[in-house]
Amino acid sequence: MALGPRLDLRQSQSLVMTPQLQQAIKLLALSNLEIEAFIGEALDANPLLELGEAAPESGLDSAFEGEPEALRRTTLESSPVDQLVSEGRAADDRPLDIDAATLDRDRDTGDGARTDFTESLGDSGAGGSGGEGPDIDERGGASETLAEHLHAQIGAVTSDPALLFAARWLIDQIDEAGYLTTTLEDAREALGLPQTAMQAALGLVQSLDPTGVGARCLSECIALQAREADRYDPCMARLIDNLDLLARGEIARLKRLCQVDDEDFADMLRELRSYDPKPGLRFGSGPAEAVVPDILVQAVTGDDGVPGWDIALNPATLPRLVVNRRYYVEMRHACVAKDAKAWLGERLADANWLLKALDQRQKTILKVAAEIVKQQEGFFRLGVAHLKPLTLRTVAEAIAMHESTVSRVTSNKYLHCARGTFELKYFFTSGVASSDGESSVSAEAVKAAIRQLIDAEDPKAVLSDDALVDLLKERGFDLARRTVAKYREAIGLGSSVQRRRQKALAGVR
């Protein structure tokens, strides 16, 4: 058979994600604060958009009164995808959702990557015993960095140019905790200055506020603060030089080394506890930003006396965007050139699409949040001990949406309720089998139970992991010892040996 060129006409189907739909998917994953930044950019790019209260439908139609129907509609409104969005059924466009296999997976929960928001709060966090979380209005106080604070002082300490240069160089080598990260030998080789000059420069840096900054190790940092407090006597010096023995809880040996009695040793420990082991951390890289919740949940009672929930988007961060259609009509009559009219039509289409996408985003977020509150109602009413195992798929099936859509909604968004502020991912936890083998409880509930048992333990009878296993089994949690150890470490609690040492030191008064 001879080979030769020919033309074939073939018919095929393919999925095409329009730029507008890509934008809608992107908006769904953004938080309210990120939406505000996005809208700011849109306001700069589109003259038909403006901030303000949305006008009633009659007002919008009056701007086009007497205009042909073809001028009222935009070209984007004619596509099938846009019809779905305009009708509030964007989730029905299932094939365009990201495949579930491409989602980030968490080994523990089986869902998208989650951030343990409450675990970073320590004992006061909402993760412990169902307590209250931090107030959303909390702010960090320091805005000046440690380097800026030190550089502002060093100029008044010395007028020697070489010494000033060496001191500023050393300041730049100090980490955020206040410790010098290089040796004087390396500094001497880098700057080409004699060892005596580097020693003098280090002395200047260590004389700055806060006391203890510029130290090369923990003992030097503590010693600098003890000298400042005029408490660096020989006994205190021996205690500071043997901080490793203190960490191991060898109290009797330390008393012999320091040659002090019980009362003097307790006084030295109280003095030691008043020192800051990381003096640089009181400064930061900038002001700490508070978490602004996207969703507000409040318990309410209906007219029929049935308790329920009021779920709303945070009005303080909700975008308020409208299309100035009167301005569009004026501009369209003023435009003479064909390309100018086409550009104006594109701006109107973009503005209409953005408003529809934002409206659909708000409806989807509220729908997902309402289902989360429904699934985890025990947590909202009774605390973390009643948090149930929950997956993205469970919520997606309940609200008839794709799992990837729920994953986007729960990313970078926070919910505020009477128990504190939580990331939406917090409510998706793995399940731990109960002792009856038929039900399961949330991993967060197990962590809360472990924390409660350890907080209530007797300092003279510290609970081992095996003892925790038995006590948890009495509460209905059938866990292996390694699982208990994993959860205990996850909430930042040490082993029984470490806790015994800590309690022994805390008991020295």
Side-chain angles (χ1 to χ4, degrees):
M1 182 177 179
L3 297 178
R6 66 177 185 178
L7 295 176
D8 287 336
L9 186 63
R10 297 180 180 179
Q11 202 172 33
S12 63
Q13 291 182 338
S14 63
L15 290 175
V16 178
M17 186 177 291
T18 64
Q20 290 77 19
L21 189 55
Q22 292 179 15
Q23 183 189 71
I25 293 175
K26 176 183 176 182
L27 293 179
L28 194 59
L30 298 180
S31 66
N32 281 359
L33 294 181
E34 292 171 329
I35 285 291
E36 285 189 327
F38 179 85
I39 286 179
E41 297 176 359
L43 289 171
D44 294 336
N46 196 333
L48 298 182
L49 289 173
E50 63 180 21
L51 291 174
E53 297 297 332
E57 288 296 326
S58 59
L60 294 178
D61 292 339
S62 63
F64 285 88
E65 187 175 356
E67 299 293 337
E69 178 66 21
L71 293 179
R72 300 191 188 194
R73 294 181 58 83
T74 64
T75 55
L76 285 178
E77 293 174 343
S78 61
S79 69
V81 174
D82 299 300
Q83 292 289 343
L84 290 176
V85 174
S86 64
E87 296 170 7
R89 297 187 297 115
D92 293 345
D93 191 39
R94 298 292 179 83
L96 292 181
D97 275 305
I98 295 177
D99 187 79
T102 64
L103 294 174
D104 292 333
R105 295 285 172 177
D106 183 82
R107 292 178 299 174
D108 192 36
T109 65
D111 289 331
R114 85 184 254 277
T115 301
D116 285 335
F117 174 72
T118 56
E119 289 181 10
S120 63
L121 303 179
D123 294 339
S124 62
S129 305
E132 294 291 334
D135 194 340
I136 63 174
D137 293 329
E138 290 182 358
R139 298 288 196 276
S143 59
E144 186 181 32
T145 64
L146 176 61
E148 292 172 346
H149 182 68
L150 296 176
H151 279 298
Q153 301 175 65
I154 195 64
V157 175
T158 180
S159 59
D160 187 342
L163 199 57
L164 183 61
F165 172 76
R168 291 191 181 277
W169 189 89
L170 289 176
I171 288 175
D172 292 333
Q173 312 308 312
I174 294 176
D175 63 14
E176 61 180 9
Y179 287 86
L180 187 63
T181 58
T182 186
T183 63
L184 286 186
E185 182 63 25
D186 293 339
R188 185 188 65 80
E189 293 179 359
L191 300 181
L193 295 175
Q195 188 72 12
T196 55
M198 296 308 305
Q199 288 283 2
L202 178 61
L204 288 178
V205 173
Q206 292 181 346
S207 67
L208 302 177
D209 177 74
T211 305
V213 73
R216 290 159 290 182
C217 61
L218 176 61
S219 58
E220 185 178 14
C221 177
I222 299 299
L224 290 171
Q225 297 179 61
R227 289 191 181 97
E228 177 70 18
D230 196 20
R231 291 297 304 269
Y232 194 71
D233 52 41
C235 295
M236 181 64 79
R238 283 192 287 270
L239 177 60
I240 293 174
D241 290 339
N242 293 277
L243 292 178
D244 56 331
L245 298 180
L246 186 62
R248 295 200 296 266
E250 300 184 19
I251 306 300
R253 185 177 176 184
L254 278 173
K255 290 178 183 177
R256 291 195 301 269
L257 286 174
C258 298
Q259 298 178 353
V260 294
D261 56 17
D262 292 346
E263 184 178 354
D264 289 338
F265 187 77
D267 183 63
M268 292 167 62
L269 278 187
R270 281 194 296 270
E271 181 71 22
L272 200 63
R273 292 190 183 106
S274 67
Y275 299 148
D276 188 355
K278 295 181 180 180
L281 292 186
R282 68 188 68 174
F283 300 89
S285 57
E289 297 294 336
V291 173
V292 179
D294 304 273
I295 305 161
L296 305 177
V297 177
Q298 184 178 5
V300 296
T301 303
D303 297 336
D304 53 357
V306 178
W309 300 98
D310 179 23
I311 305 172
L313 294 177
N314 188 355
T317 58
L318 275 180
R320 294 175 293 274
L321 200 63
V322 296
V323 178
N324 192 334
R325 297 185 181 271
R326 293 185 182 277
Y327 181 66
Y328 166 75
V329 172
E330 295 175 2
M331 290 294 295
R332 185 172 52 79
H333 288 301
C335 291
V336 179
K338 185 177 181 180
D339 55 347
K341 290 185 177 180
W343 177 86
L344 188 63
E346 291 176 359
R347 299 286 76 76
L348 179 61
D350 291 343
N352 285 335
W353 172 266
L354 181 58
L355 262 64
K356 292 177 183 177
L358 290 174
D359 181 66
Q360 179 63 27
R361 171 187 175 273
Q362 296 175 8
K363 293 178 180 177
T364 305
I365 291 175
L366 287 175
K367 195 172 184 180
V368 172
E371 184 61 28
I372 291 176
V373 173
K374 178 182 177 182
Q375 296 283 347
Q376 301 289 9
E377 187 169 7
F379 165 82
F380 290 98
R381 294 197 183 279
L382 303 175
V384 69
H386 297 268
L387 195 65
K388 299 192 303 182
L390 185 64
T391 62
L392 295 174
R393 178 171 296 181
T394 303
V395 174
E397 291 175 353
I399 60 178
M401 286 187 177
H402 196 271
E403 188 176 347
S404 62
T405 303
V406 178
S407 177
R408 296 187 194 101
V409 170
T410 55
S411 298
N412 305 317
K413 295 179 186 65
Y414 292 86
L415 178 148
H416 181 71
C417 61
R419 298 192 176 276
T421 301
F422 305 87
E423 189 180 10
L424 288 183
K425 292 288 186 184
Y426 172 79
F427 300 101
F428 296 90
T429 64
S430 62
V432 177
S434 61
S435 57
D436 57 15
E438 298 180 357
S439 60
S440 62
V441 294
S442 167
E444 293 296 330
V446 176
K447 292 178 183 178
I450 293 174
R451 181 185 292 276
Q452 186 179 17
L453 289 172
I454 291 178
D455 290 343
E457 68 184 356
D458 189 346
K460 297 181 180 179
V462 176
L463 299 174
S464 65
D465 288 343
D466 290 325
L468 289 174
V469 170
D470 296 336
L471 291 174
L472 289 172
K473 188 171 294 185
E474 295 176 0
R475 296 191 176 196
F477 304 131
D478 190 7
L479 302 174
R481 181 183 180 280
R482 62 180 180 275
T483 306
V484 172
K486 182 186 73 170
Y487 287 151
R488 173 180 53 73
E489 293 172 357
I491 57 181
L493 297 175
S495 63
S496 58
V497 176
Q498 293 171 330
R499 300 199 308 275
R500 187 176 294 108
R501 290 172 181 169
Q502 293 171 357
K503 293 179 185 295
L505 290 175
V508 178
R509 299 298 180 189

